[in-house]
């Protein structure tokens, strides 16, 4: 009976450890908390860009991975490229901005 109880305890511990490892982040994959944080940052950056009257927000795509925001899409001028990056950098939680916007 004692042996069965120890086996069950070991199995429970292994399940708990496996569950926590599934939520851990790696270099190429966000953990659950980071994914939620990145989603919030993306939403805040999109909202800030949308609120900026000089930017055509429908042509700007925003993605976030571990706090690094990537801007892509098309804008009308080099000034819009700079402005979009400034707006993104101003959002709380943004670690850095990769600006891949193209002037069309």
């Amino acid at each position: 009976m004692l042996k069965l109880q120890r086996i069950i305890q070991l199995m429970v511990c292994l399940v708990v450890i496996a569950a926590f490892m599934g939520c851990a982040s790696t270099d190429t994959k966000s953990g659950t908390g980071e994914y939620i944080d990145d989603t919030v940052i993306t939403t805040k950056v999109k909202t800030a860009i949308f609120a900026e009257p000089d930017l055509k927000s429908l042509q700007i795509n925003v993605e976030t991975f571990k706090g690094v925001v990537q801007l892509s899409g098309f804008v009308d001028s080099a000034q819009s490229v700079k402005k979009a990056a400034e707006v993104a950098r101003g959002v709380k939680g943004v670690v850095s901005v990769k600006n891949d916007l193209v002037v069309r």
Side-chain angles (χ1 to χ4, degrees):
M1 186 69 175
L2 186 60
K3 189 173 184 180
L4 179 62
Q5 195 174 23
R6 284 190 162 210
I7 291 173
I8 291 172
Q9 287 176 342
L10 178 63
M11 295 299 284
V12 169
C13 286
L14 290 175
V15 168
V16 169
I17 290 170
F20 280 115
M21 289 185 75
C23 295
S25 66
T26 64
D27 289 341
T28 58
K29 180 182 159 211
S30 293
T32 305
E34 288 173 324
Y35 177 78
I36 292 170
D37 291 345
D38 287 344
T39 302
V40 170
I41 291 170
T42 297
T43 302
K44 286 181 178 180
V45 171
K46 285 181 178 181
T47 302
I49 287 174
F50 183 74
E52 187 60 42
D54 297 335
L55 298 173
K56 293 186 178 179
S57 60
L58 296 178
Q59 296 178 341
I60 299 174
N61 300 314
V62 180
E63 293 183 31
T64 308
F65 181 71
K66 294 188 175 188
V68 178
V69 173
Q70 180 177 6
L71 302 175
S72 61
F74 300 98
V75 292
D76 297 334
S77 67
Q79 185 177 7
S80 293
V81 172
K82 286 182 181 180
K83 186 65 175 177
E86 286 175 19
V87 169
R89 281 188 199 97
V91 172
K92 184 178 178 185
V94 173
V95 175
S96 66
V97 176
K98 291 183 181 178
N99 195 342
D100 295 327
L101 291 171
V102 176
V103 177
R104 181 163 51 159

